[in-house]
């Protein structure tokens, strides 16, 4: 597994994906992909109704390689999202595996039981609580996961204005979480270490619990991982900038 290819330089600022305000700014431009179609992009299926991620759609988890992570340890626990990148490997954000985490449970969705693991790593230069982050982590399980993994973007850089699909188990505009959702947006900035999107409905945005989930772009007829949901510029989910750790 080429973890080095997934890890790049410093996350520049900001709060881990969180918040959950409800005000709605003036719409900017149509979402690049209809929310109910975004689920099909990563091998899931979408029910006919439901709004989510922020301005996205609720997806069926039955075949999804994007999984829910439940962390526990000193000081409590939390939830993040992750992406299956190999038979026994799940990609997520390093900040989801902070110093107090001793156990991670991987959940594929109902009716599957949670898979308990204590084997996980984050990039060696990641510094918890600092702004110069290498926000990449990998969780390893002891059994093959019954899902098709998603490849990592390897042969080009993402592009400003490119359509991107956001996937995660985080909160939506109704503050409801622990449900798989997807939506689409466009890349507003591409740096050496960070990708950015801006909140502007009806395009989608990430929120608390989406940390560690994938930002997908299309390459060679496939949807591949270009970034890992890392942070937002505001404690509210319905404003500001979303940041993703680049995997290039």
């Amino acid at each position: 597994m080429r973890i080095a290819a997934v890890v790049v330089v410093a996350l520049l600022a900001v709060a881990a994906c969180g918040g959950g305000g409800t005000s709605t700014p003036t719409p900017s431009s149509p979402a690049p992909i209809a929310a109910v179609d975004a689920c099909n992009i990563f091998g899931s299926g979408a029910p006919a109704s439901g709004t989510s991620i922020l301005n996205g759609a609720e997806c069926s988890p039955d075949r999804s390689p994007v999984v829910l992570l439940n962390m526990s340890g000193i000081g409590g626990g939390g939830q993040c999202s992750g992406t299956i990148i190999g038979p026994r490997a799940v990609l997520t954000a390093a900040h989801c595996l902070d110093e107090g985490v001793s156990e991670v449970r991987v959940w594929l969705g109902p009716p599957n039981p949670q898979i308990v693991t204590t084997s996980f790593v984050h990039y060696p230069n990641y510094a918890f609580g600092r702004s110069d982050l290498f926000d990449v982590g990998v969780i390893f399980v002891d059994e093959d996961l019954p899902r098709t993994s998603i490849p990592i973007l390897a042969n080009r850089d993402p592009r400003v204005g490119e359509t991107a699909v956001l996937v995660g188990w985080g909160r939506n505009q109704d503050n409801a979480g622990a449900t798989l959702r997807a939506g689409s947006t466009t890349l507003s900035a591409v740096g050496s270490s960070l990708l950015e999107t801006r909140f502007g409905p009806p395009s989608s945005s990430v929120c608390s619990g989406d940390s560690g989930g994938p930002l997908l772009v299309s390459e060679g007829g496939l949807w591949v991982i270009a970034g890992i949901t890392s942070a937002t510029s505001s404690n509210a989910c319905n404003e500001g900038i979303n940041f993703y750790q680049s995997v290039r």
Side-chain angles (χ1 to χ4, degrees), residues 106-127:
V106 178
W107 191 50
L108 304 177
N112 301 284
Q114 296 188 80
I115 301 168
V116 179
T117 177
T118 56
S119 177
F120 50 85
V121 296
H122 56 75
Y123 187 70
N125 287 353
Y126 179 78

Side-chain angles (χ1 to χ4, degrees), residues 24 51 58 90 96 99 104 107 130 146 158 169 200 222:
T24 303
T51 56
E58 183 178 330
V90 177
C96 295
E99 294 170 302
V104 179
W107 191 50
R130 292 178 52 180
W169 289 79
L222 297 174

Side-chain angles (χ1 to χ4, degrees), residues 6 29 32 39 44 48 62-63 68 81-82 95 97 102 150 156-157 167-168 182 222 227 245:
V6 188
S29 59
C39 298
S44 182
D62 290 349
R63 302 184 305 277
L68 176 66
S81 301
H95 76 258
L97 308 173
S102 59
I150 299 184
R156 69 168 176 87
D157 292 324
V167 190
L222 297 174
Q245 179 72 61

Side-chain angles (χ1 to χ4, degrees), residues 80-200:
C80 278
S81 301
T83 310
I84 297 172
I85 56 171
R88 300 189 179 190
V90 177
L91 180 69
T92 190
H95 76 258
C96 295
L97 308 173
D98 67 27
E99 294 170 302
V101 172
S102 59
E103 179 183 274
V104 179
R105 288 162 288 157
V106 178
W107 191 50
L108 304 177
N112 301 284
Q114 296 188 80
I115 301 168
V116 179
T117 177
T118 56
S119 177
F120 50 85
V121 296
H122 56 75
Y123 187 70
N125 287 353
Y126 179 78
F128 293 108
R130 292 178 52 180
S131 60
D132 53 341
L133 308 182
F134 296 76
D135 201 6
V136 178
V138 180
I139 296 163
F140 301 99
V141 298
D142 294 331
E143 57 190 83
D144 287 356
L145 297 165
R147 302 291 164 84
T148 301
S149 60
I150 299 184
I152 292 170
L153 181 66
N155 58 0
R156 69 168 176 87
D157 292 324
R159 297 181 282 264
V160 172
E162 184 170 9
T163 294
V165 169
L166 309 175
V167 190
W169 289 79
R171 299 187 182 279
N172 67 359
Q173 58 267 32
D174 300 318
N175 212 33
T179 298
L180 180 65
R181 302 180 174 97
S184 70
T185 186
T186 56
L187 290 175
S188 58
V190 174
S192 60
S193 63
L194 289 179
L195 310 176
E196 297 179 15
T197 64
R198 291 182 177 272
F199 179 78

